[in-house]
Structure formats: structure tokens, C-alpha cells
Amino acid sequence: MYNTMPLTQKGTRPNSHAWLKQAVFYQIYPQSFCDSNGDGIGDIPGIIQKLDYLKWLGINVVWINPCFMSSFRDAGYDVDDYYRVAPRYGTNRDLYRLCREAHRRGIKVCLDLVAGHTSIDHPRFKASSRVGRNRYSDRYIWTSSAISDADKGLSLIQGNSERDGGYVANCFPFQPALNYGFARPDQPWQQPVDAPGPLENRKELIKIMEYWLGHGVDGFRVDMAFSLVKLDPGHKETIKLWQDIGQKVRAHYPDIALISEWGNPAEAIAAGFDIDFMLHFGVGGYPDLMLNENCFFRRSGGAGIGNFLKSYLKLAAKTKGKGLISVPSGNHDIKRPRADGRTVSDLKVIFTFLLTWPGAPFIYYGDEIGMRYIPGLESKEGGYDRTGSRTPMQWDNGTNAGFSTADKERLYLPLDPRRNRPNVEKQAGSPGSLLNHVRRLIALRKRSPALQAEGALIPLPVENIDRHFAYLRQAADERFLIVLNPSATPSSVRINGIKPDNLSPRICHGAQARVEGDDIQVNMVGVSYGVFKL
Ligand code: GLC
Ligand code: CA
């Protein structure tokens, strides 16, 4: 079946990174979180107003999606000025104040760093597009002819300026790739990684990071971190580039968290990142857990935990002791977990998993109350089908669910139209709510080293693995047994060879466990979970 060797993720950058062991992250999409001034768009003062809520929930780090000056064709992932907060979110001073207020509550703040591309409206791209050579000519990747020169594996945008050449775009055509060089240049216009343009871009990136770190920011989630060096098999040169940047920045700021959107923790952690995600792209496994039609977290039983686990264990072995893997509840690019008919009971099983799993848990805003993915919304700021995961946070029963005092038509995106849409206020007051479940799990994790980032994970071989899953987490003499049955079918698990002195249920629903001789017998109704202290 699979390896039952204990896997620890011990000694992550000792001394400096102790705080990551206990970290529970919360991702804030700033335009949809809380609008403090009634213009219909969430903002930084709004986030400050909600810090007490995050503290109550047990969150100790937030990651805020891009909040810099932008043309907002891709919701801020098209930056015009990396040194200025977008006016719609407030001022730089508001962001400094957010850091201070968050720190007072024991919460760290990570920003989103779009390292690989700017917007076409960035003054440097405009300079780079000019015909005459200037200091920015080589800061983006231009081919030598606007007519030919197409290259495999690169997306070329041609004919948008009088400069003869096409530029390489990273994602959408308005996101020109910054020039960090090519791994093996084989065209005259492809520059090596140590050419002057690429080196200037590296320096600039460090300058941006240090600017915000100097104002109290605690780290960055780096957008498309894998994308910097072009035509780079195995991302070897990109890995070296990040090692270099990380080393330089950490020399001044040793305690920061660098989190990558890479989708391959083995590569990303080798590159010096502290955390990388399993995602909808990259190494695989996450879709088999959360997203596919037959994924593990489906009532229909799905294909079991096997595919996810195989991928996870491989990555865990490769990154052991060096960095953390994150399995997030969702994010702004994928469907929320509350989609495709999933109910709050299903979400409780999912969160039991996410918050008892090693590494760094990330909760996407609103997932903790079971906000729905809203299908069929008109695309907003390049959201397309991602738009349905980006609707305003639902705080209470008041106007616009407490998100904003603006007229409904002026909201950044429409709210979930359902009358029974979940909200924070209602769930905070209801002991059986998803929100209180998440809060209890976070509290248990924070006081139990075995459940934290580096506690050992021991998956248990059990029958009917297509329906359910059981594993141990342990550290020193502390040990937990976790059982999950997301399927609608009742199930039972017999775990042999563990003779606990004690077996006490901590956070359970529909799962009962008792010691029988040398075994533990667990009986589970459909859609159930149990966290037992052994
Ligand atoms: C990342 C972001 C996504 C954005 C893209 C281009 O994948 O998460 O939202 O569209 O990069 O910057
Ligand atoms: Ca606002």
C-alpha cells in the first residue's frame, strides 16, 4: 500500500523560523474583504477593522493579494508601481498601520509579490517599448523582429509598439515578462541570466522586497515564482536565482517568510522558499484531493486518498527538514470548496483534514464560514470563471452582508444572492457552526506540537481506502489519531498494532473509537470525522 515510515519536517531553518511551525495563514482578497469607506471596494482600513475577528479565529499570519498601483486588468496582478498602495485600497501609511495593528495582535503580514511581470502601463515597460535604446530596453524580453521570431514555449505579443520585436507575456498579453534571462540562450535576442538587464531586474526585485520589509511586512507570497528564467528545464536557473535573492534579502531580514506559487514544493524549497503550495497545476495530487469530480472529498466516494497521498509523501520526503508544504482550503484562482453541491458537513470533514495536516495551513477568506462559489458571474478584472470565488465576504445579516454601505450596484462584485447565505455573526454565535469547528481545530493545533507543521505524519494502512482515511500525528510523547470519512457510506476502520493507554475524543462527529485487544476499532457514519488523543 504505502509507506508507514514516520515523516517529520523537522528543523526548518532553525532559530529564525520557529514561528512558521505554528502558523495558520489566512488569505485576504483585499477588494472583497471589508469596505471601510462605502465606495463598494474592500480596503486596508477595512482589513484593520477585522483584525480582531482574525485574532479570535486564531489566525497568526495573513497574506494579502496584490494591493499595489495597478491597471486592474488582472485584479492587481498587473502592477504599475510596486512602491505605492493602490488608492482604492488606501495609502502606504494605511499599510504600515495594518502591519503595526496586526503585530499588536500577534498576526504577521505577507504581501503578494508579482515578480515575473508588470503591467503594460508600467512606466518602465513604456520606456522599454520605445524605438530608441534606453536604460529599460533590456528590462523586458523582446525578440528582434515583430514579424518573425516566434519561439516554442513562449507567448509572444507582436505589433503593439513601434519597437521592432515582440515581447514575451507571462499570462495575459498585458503582463509582459520581466527579463531575468534565458537558461540557455540560443537566439541573439535571448540574454543570459547574468546580462546587465536581467541583473538590474534582480536588484530591483530585492529593492522592492526590502522597501516593504523595512516598513514592517513579514514576508511575501511570490506570484508565478517558477516563471522567471525562460526556457529553463527543471527550473535550474530559476532555482539559483531565488537562492541568490533569498540569501541577499535574508541577510538583512532573517525572520521573513518566503512563500511561492510554484506548484512543486521540491523545486521551490530547493530554491529557498519556506513554503510552497500543492495546487491545481504543477506536481498533481491536489486536484485528486479537492477539485476533481471523483476527488477524495466527495460524498460519492471518489477515487480515494491514494493519488494525493502518493504525490504528497514523495514531496514530503524531498523537502523534509528544509521547508513546508501547504495544502490550502482554496484560493482566488480555483473554485471554493463549497461548490458542486458540497454542504457545511462536507466542509467540516475537509477542515478537519486541513488543520491536522503537516505543513502550513492556508484558509482562503470566507471558506471558514462555507461561502459558496458563485457560478455564472460576469467576469471582473480578468477573473473569468475565477470570479465566483472572489465575491464579498459575508459578515452579518445587515446591508450587503456587512461588507459595505455602498449601493448594491456599486459593490466590487455581487454578493451570494441566497437568503440563507452564511455569515460570520450568525456562525460565531452558534457552537455547531463551521466557523466554530474551524476555530476549535485551530486552537487544538496551536496547543499541540504533534499537529503542527513538523509533527510526524504516519498514514495508516486501512481497508476501503477509497472511502476513508486514517493517520497519526505525533511529536515527543504526544499522539493523535485522525479519521475521516467524507463519503456518504458508513465505514469502519480497524487499526492494529497500536495500544494506547488512553483514547479520548477531541473533535469528533459521527466517529467512535474504542480499544479492542491490541487494536483500535473505529466506526464511522457517512460524512464523519474524529480527532482522538492517544
Ligand atoms: C498567479 C495568480 C493569478 C494571476 C497570475 C498572473 O497565478 O494567482 O491570479 O492571474 O498569477 O499574475
Ligand atoms: Ca473602500
Side-chain angles (χ1 to χ4, degrees):
M1 183 157 295
Y2 39 70
N3 198 342
T4 54
M5 285 282 291
L7 277 162
T8 48
Q9 297 189 321
K10 220 171 153 193
T12 309
R13 294 179 213 289
N15 310 324
S16 57
H17 278 59
W19 65 271
L20 282 178
K21 279 190 231 173
Q22 291 199 36
V24 180
F25 283 79
Y26 190 90
Q27 180 188 344
I28 296 175
Y29 195 66
Q31 51 272 63
S32 298
F33 195 59
C34 177
D35 172 21
S36 72
N37 62 353
D39 66 356
I41 302 181
D43 45 53
I44 292 171
I47 299 175
I48 296 174
Q49 286 173 21
K50 298 300 181 183
L51 286 172
D52 284 330
Y53 163 69
L54 297 175
K55 186 179 175 198
W56 171 85
L57 183 57
I59 298 302
N60 48 22
V61 203
V62 295
W63 149 35
I64 303 168
N65 285 98
C67 59
F68 310 114
M69 288 282 282
S70 168
S71 312
F72 292 112
R73 292 184 185 92
D74 184 14
Y77 284 97
D78 45 336
V79 179
D80 294 342
D81 182 348
Y82 288 85
Y83 297 95
R84 241 187 97 191
V85 166
R88 75 184 201 183
Y89 297 135
T91 62
N92 284 21
R93 284 181 181 285
D94 289 327
L95 186 51
Y96 311 153
R97 186 161 65 88
L98 168 64
C99 292
R100 288 197 303 275
E101 291 291 330
H103 294 163
R104 272 186 31 201
R105 292 165 177 83
I107 298 173
K108 295 192 184 268
V109 178
C110 295
L111 300 182
D112 206 315
L113 182 67
V114 189
H117 49 268
T118 67
S119 132
I120 44 168
D121 297 321
H122 195 293
R124 289 188 176 165
F125 182 71
K126 289 190 183 159
S128 191
S129 312
R130 282 191 211 118
V131 178
R133 287 228 21 116
N134 60 67
R135 25 187 316 218
Y136 301 111
S137 299
D138 291 340
R139 299 289 281 271
Y140 294 82
I141 306 171
W142 292 88
T143 63
S144 45
S145 158
I147 308 287
S148 53
D149 274 352
D151 206 305
K152 257 202 259 125
L154 295 172
S155 127
L156 276 193
I157 313 299
Q158 291 162 303
N160 267 4
S161 69
E162 288 304 329
R163 175 172 176 167
D164 193 9
Y167 65 84
V168 173
N170 265 354
C171 195
F172 294 120
F174 51 78
Q175 290 166 322
L178 285 157
N179 182 14
Y180 293 96
F182 284 74
R184 299 174 198 155
D186 73 348
Q187 301 284 330
W189 53 268
Q190 298 181 353
Q191 301 182 346
V193 292
D194 57 357
L199 288 184
E200 280 299 313
N201 279 337
R202 263 191 217 206
K203 260 203 235 152
E204 177 63 21
L205 196 55
I206 293 172
K207 198 171 139 200
I208 294 165
M209 293 168 85
E210 294 194 338
Y211 177 82
W212 292 107
L213 293 170
H215 283 102
V217 164
D218 302 287
F220 300 94
R221 173 267 191 189
V222 179
D223 184 65
M224 291 179 70
F226 58 86
S227 73
L228 301 205
V229 180
K230 299 304 181 199
L231 305 181
D232 182 18
H235 297 115
K236 289 212 172 73
E237 289 298 327
T238 307
I239 290 172
K240 281 195 223 153
L241 178 150
W242 280 113
Q243 286 170 340
D244 175 44
I245 291 176
Q247 208 182 16
K248 286 182 175 143
V249 175
R250 287 187 209 273
H252 302 132
Y253 300 96
D255 257 359
I256 56 166
L258 293 178
I259 305 149
S260 51
E261 184 201 32
W262 197 302
N264 185 341
E267 288 183 359
I269 286 165
F273 285 97
D274 300 296
I275 302 174
D276 186 42
F277 299 102
M278 288 180 79
L279 285 173
H280 51 300
F281 63 85
V283 286
Y286 187 78
D288 298 308
L289 181 76
M290 298 280 278
L291 299 171
N292 291 344
E293 223 169 284
N294 68 342
C295 69
F296 177 63
F297 287 116
R298 293 269 182 242
R299 288 196 171 214
S300 51
I305 194 79
N307 281 350
F308 165 78
L309 198 59
K310 212 169 115 197
S311 175
Y312 178 86
L313 293 177
K314 214 163 104 188
L315 295 166
K318 285 189 186 162
T319 55
K320 188 175 158 183
K322 298 179 207 140
L324 306 177
I325 299 171
S326 177
V327 182
S329 74
N331 68 35
H332 61 293
D333 292 330
I334 53 183
K335 264 191 191 174
R336 285 186 181 276
R338 184 88 181 267
D340 305 318
R342 282 208 193 102
T343 66
V344 163
S345 316
D346 300 317
L347 261 63
K348 285 183 176 171
V349 186
I350 293 180
F351 272 105
T352 305
F353 168 82
L354 294 173
L355 290 164
T356 58
W357 198 247
F362 275 66
I363 300 172
Y364 182 54
Y365 84 96
D367 282 350
E368 76 277 22
I369 54 169
M371 270 175 61
R372 294 179 174 89
Y373 172 78
I374 314 293
L377 286 183
E378 196 180 303
S379 177
K380 175 88 175 186
E381 298 184 348
Y384 305 102
D385 66 350
R386 305 177 294 181
T387 307
S389 292
R390 301 176 173 187
T391 59
M393 179 69 177
Q394 296 150 201
W395 294 104
D396 57 38
N397 260 326
T399 312
N400 298 325
F403 163 67
S404 168
T405 56
D407 290 344
K408 213 168 139 193
E409 300 69 44
R410 293 187 62 209
L411 299 185
Y412 178 75
L413 277 171
L415 280 145
D416 177 350
R418 289 178 185 76
R419 285 199 54 201
N420 71 344
R421 66 185 170 214
N423 71 60
V424 168
E425 189 181 40
K426 200 159 107 199
Q427 291 199 20
S430 152
S433 66
L434 176 62
L435 180 60
N436 274 307
H437 177 65
V438 171
R439 185 170 178 246
R440 276 192 293 274
L441 284 163
I442 293 175
L444 182 64
R445 183 179 180 102
K446 282 168 71 183
R447 63 171 187 267
S448 313
L451 295 176
Q452 293 168 10
E454 299 176 350
L457 165 71
I458 306 174
L460 296 169
V462 291
E463 283 168 21
N464 300 324
I465 192 76
D466 53 331
R467 282 216 288 277
H468 56 224
F469 181 35
Y471 50 99
L472 299 175
R473 298 293 318 279
Q474 62 186 44
D477 55 358
E478 184 182 69
R479 187 152 67 152
F480 288 89
L481 164 68
I482 296 103
V483 295
L484 308 165
N485 179 16
S487 84
T489 317
S491 212
S492 61
V493 180
R494 187 130 189 132
I495 298 160
N496 20 58
I498 303 168
K499 272 188 275 180
D501 304 333
N502 201 347
L503 197 159
S504 79
R506 286 298 149 93
I507 298 180
C508 294
H509 174 81
Q512 285 181 329
R514 57 174 187 276
V515 181
E516 279 183 6
D518 281 356
D519 299 346
I520 300 175
Q521 174 67 30
V522 188
N523 294 324
M524 293 182 278
V525 303
V527 192
S528 58
Y529 53 83
V531 181
F532 302 92
K533 181 110 191 259
L534 303 187

